[in-house]
Amino acid sequence: MNYDVIVCGAGPAGTTTALFLANAGKKVLILEKEKFPRDKVCADNKTWKCLDIVKELGLWKEFTKLPKKEINGVLVASPSGHEMYTPLWEQDVKEKGPWYNVRREVFDNFLAEACKKNKNIELRERCTVTGPALEGKQVTGVWFKNERGLEEVTYASIVVAADGSQSPIANAIGISPQVRGRHALNIRAYYEGVTGASDRCELYYLKGICPGYFWIFPVDNHKCNIGLAMRFEDIEKQGTKLEEKLNEVIQSEKFRDRFKNAKRAGEPKQWGLSVLGKRRKCSGAGFVLVGDAGTFAMTFSGEGVGPSMRSGKIAAQAIVNAFDRNNFSAESLNEYDEMLWKVLEPEVKGFRWLEFLILNETVFDWVVQRASKKKELIELSSRMQNDYSLAQNLVSPRTILKLFF
């Protein structure tokens, strides 16, 4: 097969990009370093940003068969222990259904299988991309180690870097996905037998961890995804190890009863990623960056799968347009940046207030304490779960007055 596009990485960003391109008639090669099914360290939450795209790709029937846990709301706790529960907005649930938590091992394999069944996609597993093939400044393909460990090169009009937070493609081009001040180290473990509410995602912005957080996300009727995220500089400053910190939280007075009879299923795993911040370049001559390679995980919550799939969908449209123009220059592919940031800019503006909160613990405590008792503010928080740009309303005069009175 001669390829129009090479996608590096078969996570949600890469497979989404490939499927939209294939459905538009483009020939796609996906290079994935692992063999499916494979685990991927993540908190496992699938919001409407993810689920709407699953439906758009025509994969909803298959998705409903996956093992998963229905999620109906989000609990946020401030450093001093004030808690605010936000149910998903009733109207959104009527239109879209609930959220779901699905283990990445299951979800990524589901998307990979959809790619394998598509006649316009070739998925090669156990192929590790090492860097871009270049003609001057134009990316024309990729170098990779193939299934036998031999170095190989292949070419296409456009390369999609969907190769994660340590992206060899992005690093080689000079757009590192590891952004100081916005890069966090995360640890995740599965536990069976954790007690407490099981229909919600719980995020605890604890003292000594905030602006990072400890999470409890149920993934089925017996198992929970338990994890911890902290900024690199906070880990270095405290001289702590993330696994020790996770165990310390689990054994703390606040959580020990919930874990009293719990058993860990498998060893903890760690990964790093940068969250969305200021506008950064995410395309160039012959390439685009999607998912964690482009640092699109959401500020405050760290949500990654939905934003990654969204970036893949937008990238696919921009790539199709580039083929229509027969122009794969940096100027042509800059359309992806413009399309993407038209969506992201309102969300980034909204999240600046939430960033301010988690970076100022005293204010964060006060706001959560007050907002948790205000029906109108809980409703605003509910509506934000489907439209992050509404976070801008948190700093409106009306909202500020509601907090005080």
Side-chain angles (χ1 to χ4, degrees):
M1 183 187 292
N2 293 319
Y3 309 110
D4 297 309
V5 180
I6 300 169
V7 176
C8 307
T15 51
T16 297
T17 310
L19 286 165
F20 275 110
L21 286 171
N23 291 343
K26 303 307 173 189
K27 303 297 184 182
V28 183
L29 170 66
I30 307 177
L31 298 172
E32 164 61 35
K33 65 181 179 180
E34 305 290 347
K35 172 71 175 176
F36 285 100
R38 54 100 172 101
D39 190 17
K40 192 73 173 180
V41 186
C42 179
D44 295 330
N45 183 223
K46 309 297 180 290
T47 69
W48 292 311
K49 280 182 173 53
C50 162
L51 301 175
D52 286 352
I53 290 175
V54 170
K55 293 173 183 176
E56 188 173 351
L57 287 169
L59 301 174
W60 185 249
K61 183 178 179 180
E62 290 80 3
F63 176 84
T64 61
K65 300 173 185 177
L66 302 180
K68 56 191 175 296
K69 184 64 178 178
E70 181 176 309
I71 298 298
N72 295 299
V74 180
L75 176 79
V76 170
S78 72
S80 289
H82 301 297
E83 296 183 356
M84 178 177 175
Y85 175 68
T86 299
L88 299 183
W89 187 240
E90 184 177 356
Q91 187 60 39
D92 290 329
V93 174
K94 285 181 180 179
E95 293 177 3
K96 298 172 177 285
W99 291 354
Y100 292 97
N101 288 346
V102 187
R103 289 185 297 115
R104 283 287 299 276
E105 181 177 4
V106 172
F107 186 72
D108 288 20
N109 188 62
F110 152 75
L111 291 176
E113 287 298 315
C115 289
K116 292 176 181 179
K117 294 174 183 176
N118 193 301
K119 66 179 181 179
N120 288 331
I121 298 175
E122 180 181 354
L123 172 55
R124 290 180 63 178
E125 300 167 88
R126 296 197 177 110
C127 290
T128 302
V129 172
T130 55
L134 298 167
E135 289 184 11
K137 294 183 178 180
Q138 184 82 20
V139 174
T140 57
V142 297
W143 289 92
F144 64 100
K145 289 186 178 180
N146 65 23
E147 300 90 335
R148 296 174 292 166
L150 302 176
E151 191 171 52
E152 189 175 331
V153 63
T154 190
Y155 299 97
S157 298
I158 296 178
V159 170
V160 177
D163 45 352
S165 60
Q166 296 183 351
S167 169
I169 299 294
N171 280 310
I173 293 165
I175 312 176
S176 174
Q178 299 184 26
V179 183
R180 184 158 184 84
R182 309 194 72 81
H183 197 72
L185 187 62
N186 310 269
I187 186 169
R188 178 223 68 192
Y190 290 111
Y191 277 79
E192 295 177 349
V194 179
T195 60
S198 61
D199 66 339
R200 62 192 62 181
C201 293
E202 302 175 46
L203 297 91
Y204 296 88
Y205 292 82
L206 304 171
K207 288 184 180 295
I209 295 174
C210 189
Y213 56 87
F214 169 72
W215 72 79
I216 301 176
F217 286 16
V219 292
D220 59 35
N221 290 330
H222 307 287
K223 189 179 295 182
C224 285
N225 180 320
I226 307 298
L228 188 72
M230 290 181 68
R231 295 187 303 181
F232 269 116
E233 50 265 45
D234 294 330
I235 295 171
E236 292 173 353
K237 184 178 180 180
Q238 294 182 27
T240 188
K241 293 182 179 179
L242 212 56
E243 185 171 352
E244 292 176 357
K245 197 74 173 178
L246 177 63
N247 291 333
E248 177 186 317
V249 172
I250 289 172
Q251 295 164 15
S252 68
E253 183 178 358
K254 184 175 181 64
F255 297 105
R256 67 167 67 114
D257 286 346
R258 296 184 65 178
F259 285 84
K260 184 177 180 180
N261 298 312
K263 293 182 179 180
R264 195 173 70 193
E267 293 300 312
K269 296 184 178 181
Q270 299 188 22
W271 87 106
L273 65 95
S274 292
V275 295
L276 185 65
K278 293 181 180 179
R279 178 166 177 163
R280 304 173 74 242
K281 192 66 180 169
C282 48
S283 69
F287 75 90
V288 300
L289 310 178
V290 298
D292 288 344
T295 67
F296 298 126
M298 301 308 298
T299 304
F300 190 74
S301 68
E303 178 191 354
V305 173
S308 290
M309 295 178 72
R310 179 174 63 181
S311 71
K313 175 186 172 181
I314 295 171
Q317 182 58 63
I319 290 169
V320 169
N321 293 346
F323 273 97
D324 290 343
R325 293 187 292 268
N326 194 30
N327 185 346
F328 312 112
S329 66
E331 292 76 16
S332 177
L333 289 174
N334 186 61
E335 182 185 22
Y336 169 55
D337 296 60
E338 297 303 323
M339 292 169 65
L340 184 64
W341 281 94
K342 185 177 180 179
V343 174
L344 292 179
E345 192 65 37
E347 296 182 357
V348 170
K349 288 181 179 178
F351 273 117
R352 284 175 185 157
W353 169 239
L354 296 177
E355 282 195 52
F356 170 79
L357 286 183
I358 61 177
L359 290 169
N360 295 270
E361 292 187 10
T362 301
V363 180
F364 189 18
D365 283 325
W366 182 79
V367 168
V368 173
Q369 180 185 26
R370 300 287 295 178
S372 64
K373 301 174 183 177
K374 306 287 184 177
K375 181 180 178 181
E376 187 172 335
L377 298 185
I378 293 173
E379 289 180 353
L380 172 59
S381 181
S382 291
R383 290 165 55 217
M384 279 169 50
Q385 306 309 313
N386 188 41
D387 183 358
Y388 293 150
S389 67
L390 291 176
Q392 296 177 80
N393 294 344
L394 291 171
V395 290
S396 70
R398 178 185 178 88
T399 301
I400 292 172
L401 284 172
K402 284 289 182 182
L403 286 170
F404 278 97
F405 303 105

